[in-house]
Structure formats: structure tokens, C-alpha cells
Amino acid sequence: MTRKTLYIIVALMTISIAARAQDSLVLKFGEESVSAKLAKCLEATADDDRRSLADEAASELHQLLQYEAAFFYNFDSLKNISTIYSDDQKVRVFSFAVPLNNGKKYLYHGFIMHYDEDDGLRVTRLTDDEKKTRNPQFVDMQASNWYGAVYYQVQQVGSRRSPVYALCGWDGADLFTNRKVLEQLTFDEDGNAKFGGSFETEHSDGLHRIVFEFTEKAVMSLQYDPRLKMVVGDHLSAPAQYVHNPRFYGPDMSFDGYYYDKGKWNYEPDIDVKLW
């Protein structure tokens, strides 16, 4: 290796290190700005103000996520935003909820960062459908009409060549009930995020997602268990006189499982918690 070649390599390495350091500074100051806007949003009393401030914070976060360094940046100061990675480290999901006063308890914002084999890092902003779509269990959704939830787990299932991701999320439905949602995330040949799969449940088959609704007073567990290779959740039930009224549904100390196989999510009742 000649001295000139060595100088070129050192110069390129120095430029690369300096660029990464500059990106980190941009992300640090940007993160603080987003955090301040969200704090101001939560302090606002009028729904219109909360919506406007939340949109400003989300737009600024969207700009920050365009930096490739953002994929592995911690964003420790964003206390009110859920940020999770898929187990294969190819997907990162950001989501947050803004409380409202109009009977619909929350407005949601979300982003998906995804490494595409052809195009590299892609960032998708999710637009909350605000439950305008009736019966979302029967509808495939995209980024532009996203169901709207705060996700706390994303798990790759299926083959690595054609990955499918299970998303577990929380949705504060209204003043009387909460929801958990089991969602399927995939990416089409152009790298666009698609929401919806084929789910079997205790009472239905061919659902596009599973939405569990239960009383505000209860807490429902729903998470992927790597040992069982399935999503396991509390089975919800209600007294006979209140069947079909979600305000009276809650966990009954039994568990159900949902596992992905050959393009479909299959239902398995009465999971043995001793194995779980």
C-alpha cells in the first residue's frame, strides 16, 4: 500500500467518523425538541391544541428518522414514545398516544423503520384511521389508514426469506373499555408496509387482525412466547347476561394461543400455563 493510498483511507475514515458524530448531535438536539413538544402537547387542555402539537412533534420526529443513524439511536429522552425492535433487528417501530377529551380516548401516531434489501433504510409514517373503518377485523390496512395503537412487541415469524411480523399493541378504546390488538405486518415488493393477515379465533376464521376489547378495570396479557412459538393471551369472558358487551369482559384465568403456519394464524385454546 502506497503512502498516498494510506492517506486517502485515513481521510475517508476521518470524514465518516465526523459525519456520524454530526448525525448524533442532530439526533440529540432533535430528540430534545420532540420531547419538549410532546410535553407541551400533554399540558394542553383543548383537543385541537393537542392534535396540532402532536402533529408538530410527529413531523419533527419523521425528519429525524430519515438519518440512517437513527435506526440504532437510543432516543432515551422520548419517554412518552414506545420504540421497539423486531427480533431480527430489521424493523423498528415507534408509536405514541395522545389523550383526548371527546370520548375517543386517544389519537395515535406511528412510524416504521425498515431495512429494504434493494432500497436500504425506509421510513413509513402511519396515519391513524381513528376507527373510522367499521369492523377493522375484516379489512386490510396500509400506512394511510392505520388501525392506531401503541405497540410493545414486534416478532418475526415465518421464513426469513419472506418475513412476516406479529405486532402486539394496546388501544385505549373509550371511557369504559380498552383493547389489545394482534396485528400482522408485511412489506410488499416495493417495500411498502401492509397490515392484515388471516387469523382464526375461538368464534371466527379469516379475520384480518384480532381486536380484543375488555373492561377498563381489567388488564389483559398478550405477548409472543418464543418457547411456545406463538402469541399467548388471556382468554376473555363475561357473565352470561352480559355476553357481547365488552364493558363486562375480562380475563378468566385461562389462556389462548395464536401461531403462524403456512400463511395463516391458527387458534389454540387452553394453553397450559405450566409450560408458559
Side-chain angles (χ1 to χ4, degrees):
M1 180 184 299
T2 66
R3 181 174 298 181
K4 182 178 180 180
T5 301
L6 179 61
Y7 285 157
I8 292 174
I9 292 174
V10 171
L12 291 174
M13 290 178 61
T14 302
I15 292 171
S16 176
I17 293 171
R20 288 198 298 270
Q22 184 177 7
D23 287 352
S24 294
L25 284 174
V26 171
L27 291 171
K28 179 178 183 299
F29 289 117
E31 174 189 17
E32 292 173 354
S33 177
V34 172
S35 182
K37 281 185 171 64
L38 277 180
K40 189 176 179 180
C41 167
L42 297 176
E43 291 171 359
T45 56
D47 283 353
D48 286 346
D49 292 336
R50 288 190 175 186
R51 286 177 177 273
S52 177
L53 289 165
D55 189 65
E56 288 181 19
S59 295
E60 188 166 341
L61 178 58
H62 191 197
Q63 293 179 355
L64 291 177
L65 298 184
Q66 306 303 315
Y67 288 87
E68 190 164 348
F71 191 84
F72 290 110
Y73 185 78
N74 287 329
F75 289 103
D76 290 335
S77 297
L78 298 182
K79 303 300 183 184
N80 296 307
I81 297 181
S82 169
T83 170
I84 53 174
Y85 289 98
S86 60
D87 56 306
D88 63 3
Q89 297 288 296
K90 292 184 179 179
V91 175
R92 189 177 189 185
V93 181
F94 292 74
S95 53
F96 67 93
V98 178
L100 300 174
N101 303 310
N102 62 358
K104 178 192 177 298
K105 288 170 57 178
Y106 295 93
L107 171 69
Y108 298 94
H109 287 272
F111 301 90
I112 294 178
M113 303 182 75
H114 168 234
Y115 269 107
D116 183 87
E117 292 184 357
D118 297 323
D119 300 329
L121 181 64
R122 292 177 60 103
V123 180
T124 302
R125 183 170 180 173
L126 307 177
T127 301
D128 187 356
D129 181 68
E130 299 197 49
K131 312 306 181 281
K132 294 175 184 175
T133 300
R134 291 190 173 187
N135 300 317
Q137 299 94 322
F138 301 101
V139 180
D140 277 344
M141 293 182 166
Q142 304 178 22
S144 59
N145 66 332
W146 170 51
Y147 175 84
V150 174
Y151 297 119
Y152 54 86
Q153 188 175 31
V154 52
Q155 173 72 35
Q156 188 264 326
V157 297
S159 69
R160 292 187 177 274
R161 182 172 299 177
S162 301
V164 172
Y165 296 91
L167 290 168
C168 294
W170 175 90
D171 169 26
D174 55 36
L175 298 177
F176 305 101
T177 63
N178 286 324
R179 300 186 185 112
K180 288 288 183 76
V181 58
L182 175 55
E183 180 77 86
Q184 176 180 297
L185 168 67
T186 55
F187 299 92
D188 65 18
E189 58 184 11
D190 296 320
N192 299 311
K194 301 291 184 181
F195 297 93
S198 178
F199 290 86
E200 176 188 21
T201 68
E202 180 181 10
H203 303 292
S204 302
D205 195 5
L207 299 180
H208 292 234
R209 65 187 46 74
I210 308 179
V211 179
F212 307 87
E213 190 165 8
F214 51 95
T215 175
E216 167 83 9
K217 300 176 183 178
V219 176
M220 178 194 177
S221 65
L222 182 72
Q223 61 183 8
Y224 183 86
D225 188 295
R227 294 169 296 176
L228 299 177
K229 295 184 178 180
M230 65 173 65
V231 175
V232 178
D234 283 301
H235 182 269
L236 301 175
S237 62
Q241 66 270 33
Y242 297 119
V243 171
H244 306 307
N245 188 337
R247 297 184 184 184
F248 295 94
Y249 274 76
D252 62 7
M253 304 302 292
S254 64
F255 297 88
D256 296 328
Y258 305 88
Y259 64 93
Y260 183 82
D261 182 47
K262 298 178 181 178
K264 179 179 178 179
W265 288 89
N266 300 277
Y267 170 71
E268 185 170 328
D270 299 319
I271 300 297
D272 189 346
V273 295
K274 294 179 182 178
L275 298 176
W276 181 34

